Amino acid sequence: MKKILLGLVAAAVLTASPIGQAMAAADAAKEPTSILNVSYDVSRELFAKLNPVFAAEWKAKTGKTIDVKQSHGGSSKQARAVLEGLPADVVTFNQVTDIQVLHDRGNLVAADWQQKFPNNSSPYYSLPVFLVRAGNPKKIKDWGDLTGKGVQVIFPNPKTSGNARYTYLAATAYAYEKFGGDNEKSRTFMKSFLGNVPVFDTGGRAATTTFVDRAIGDVLITFEAEVQSIRREFPDRKFEVVVPSVSLQAEFPVAVVDKVVDRRGSRAVATAYLTFLYSDKAQTILAENYNRVNNPAVAQRFAKQFPPVRLVTVDKIFGGWKKATQDHFAEGGILDQVFVNR
């Protein structure tokens, strides 16, 4: 005990001394003044709203200034960029596999990254819904209406976009239910569905541009938050939101990139940033921007803006992301098979 007390006294003396103060100042100088959040394509406006709030809280708590920089693109494409050296302090993607690959192929995140934060490290969720043109001229109400002759469907490429994978799997889940699990009929349905897509953009935002700015297509399929954002941004276009009878729960997992934060000395602020996403304040911002949240009080407060919908999950319908990836998105998988001769 005496040695411990002496050690503490010595440390206190050192900290209070000019040398200790100089060492503390040197350590503070090493701390980064910015962190990089590498995220999915259609989240740029959302994090542009969240980041200043976090920075203000961090300043109030620590007295330190932090700038949260953003990088956006197709979720899977962003994961590959991180693997190839993009120095992300944190990643905020739209599917589990895009973070898991950072562990499996690069050992960049912890094996138990899903246990680091609540709800399997997913602070909010959404689902694919439809955005149609004024008056809904093609009378689109559900997935079955998207295979008809002359209907043009806009969503990005499932090979490069997590957003698109949710759409593809949601349509497949609908087909499984409609045809009682008949794989052949389900594949025929998906072939017609994919055959109605005139262009596959690489990410969700590019697909939005194709539908809104280039005026291509009868229906855009993307996350609920994105379609509501478009509807609010272009009131004169009188777009209409259509929620199908069933959709797929889209998780938005997050993780600290261990190798990067340990190298940069940014672990504390990176961890605080992701923890902040679960706070009442951040959950409110998420809900205000049409992301569904698990915080009961916030979810209740915004319940009216979220239509009820029956959600299925990748785990329940497809046996988890690993199996879904192998079955559908791997080279020669079902996606490639239904693309043939489209």
Side-chain angles (χ1 to χ4, degrees), residues 30-32 34-36 58 66 88-90 256-258 260-272:
K30 292 177 184 176
E31 294 181 7
S34 67
I35 58 173
L36 175 61
W58 183 251
I66 192 70
D89 296 276
V90 299
V256 170
V257 183
D258 295 293
V260 173
V261 298
D262 287 342
R263 185 177 72 243
R264 299 189 67 236
S266 57
R267 178 175 290 279
V269 65
T271 302

Side-chain angles (χ1 to χ4, degrees), residues 29-78:
K30 292 177 184 176
E31 294 181 7
T33 57
S34 67
I35 58 173
L36 175 61
N37 173 13
V38 175
S39 192
Y40 58 97
D41 200 21
V42 299
S43 66
R44 52 175 58 81
E45 291 84 3
L46 173 65
F47 282 103
K49 293 177 181 176
L50 288 164
N51 293 343
V53 179
F54 168 72
E57 287 198 355
W58 183 251
K59 179 75 173 181
K61 288 180 180 176
T62 67
K64 299 172 183 175
T65 299
I66 192 70
D67 178 22
V68 183
K69 298 184 181 301
Q70 302 179 209
S71 171
H72 298 272
S75 185
S76 299
K77 187 177 179 182
Q78 290 290 78

Side-chain angles (χ1 to χ4, degrees), residues 241-262:
V241 177
V242 176
V243 179
S245 63
V246 60
S247 194
L248 191 72
Q249 181 166 328
E251 296 177 299
F252 295 87
V254 301
V256 170
V257 183
D258 295 293
K259 277 197 173 180
V260 173
V261 298
D262 287 342

Side-chain angles (χ1 to χ4, degrees), residues 74-302:
S75 185
S76 299
K77 187 177 179 182
Q78 290 290 78
R80 286 197 296 274
V82 174
L83 281 171
E84 292 168 358
L86 183 63
D89 296 276
V90 299
V91 289
T92 54
F93 288 155
N94 62 22
Q95 61 176 355
V96 169
T97 51
D98 288 334
I99 295 183
Q100 188 61 42
V101 73
L102 300 183
H103 169 74
D104 294 344
R105 296 187 184 176
N107 201 26
L108 295 172
V109 302
D112 62 344
W113 65 268
Q114 283 190 287
Q115 280 70 59
K116 299 291 187 182
F117 298 95
N119 301 319
N120 292 324
S121 292
S122 182
Y124 57 100
Y125 66 98
S126 190
L127 58 142
V129 301
F130 307 159
L131 188 71
V132 299
R133 301 197 183 279
N136 194 2
K138 294 295 177 70
K139 309 300 180 190
I140 293 167
K141 296 295 183 185
D142 211 344
W143 296 100
D145 300 319
L146 305 182
T147 60
K149 188 176 181 181
V151 176
Q152 286 193 321
V153 181
I154 303 298
F155 71 98
N157 190 337
K159 290 285 188 180
T160 57
S161 166
N163 186 330
R165 291 189 177 195
Y166 282 109
T167 292
Y168 168 90
L169 292 175
T172 301
Y174 169 87
Y176 282 165
E177 284 192 5
K178 180 178 177 64
F179 301 112
D182 187 312
N183 286 331
E184 198 58 39
K185 289 181 179 178
S186 296
R187 291 188 185 195
T188 300
F189 175 92
M190 290 304 296
K191 191 170 183 178
S192 298
F193 173 68
L194 295 170
N196 279 349
V197 182
V199 57
F200 282 103
D201 294 295
T202 57
R205 185 50 54 85
T208 295
T209 299
T210 294
F211 183 77
V212 176
D213 295 338
R214 299 172 64 195
I216 295 176
D218 301 298
V219 54
L220 171 71
I221 311 175
T222 186
F223 296 131
E224 184 177 40
E226 176 77 347
V227 300
Q228 294 289 2
S229 173
I230 297 168
R231 183 184 58 78
R232 284 188 298 178
E233 186 176 350
F234 301 96
D236 58 316
R237 308 282 286 273
K238 300 186 185 307
F239 291 125
E240 298 178 20
V241 177
V242 176
V243 179
S245 63
V246 60
S247 194
L248 191 72
Q249 181 166 328
E251 296 177 299
F252 295 87
V254 301
V256 170
V257 183
D258 295 293
K259 277 197 173 180
V260 173
V261 298
D262 287 342
R263 185 177 72 243
R264 299 189 67 236
S266 57
R267 178 175 290 279
V269 65
T271 302
Y273 177 66
L274 295 187
T275 302
F276 159 76
L277 297 180
Y278 293 86
S279 68
D280 288 352
K281 191 174 290 184
Q283 293 275 293
T284 298
I285 295 172
L286 287 161
E288 286 173 344
N289 288 275
Y290 290 91
N291 294 282
R292 303 195 183 211
V293 298
N294 293 304
N295 182 308
V298 177
Q300 179 63 33
R301 188 146 46 95
F302 289 89

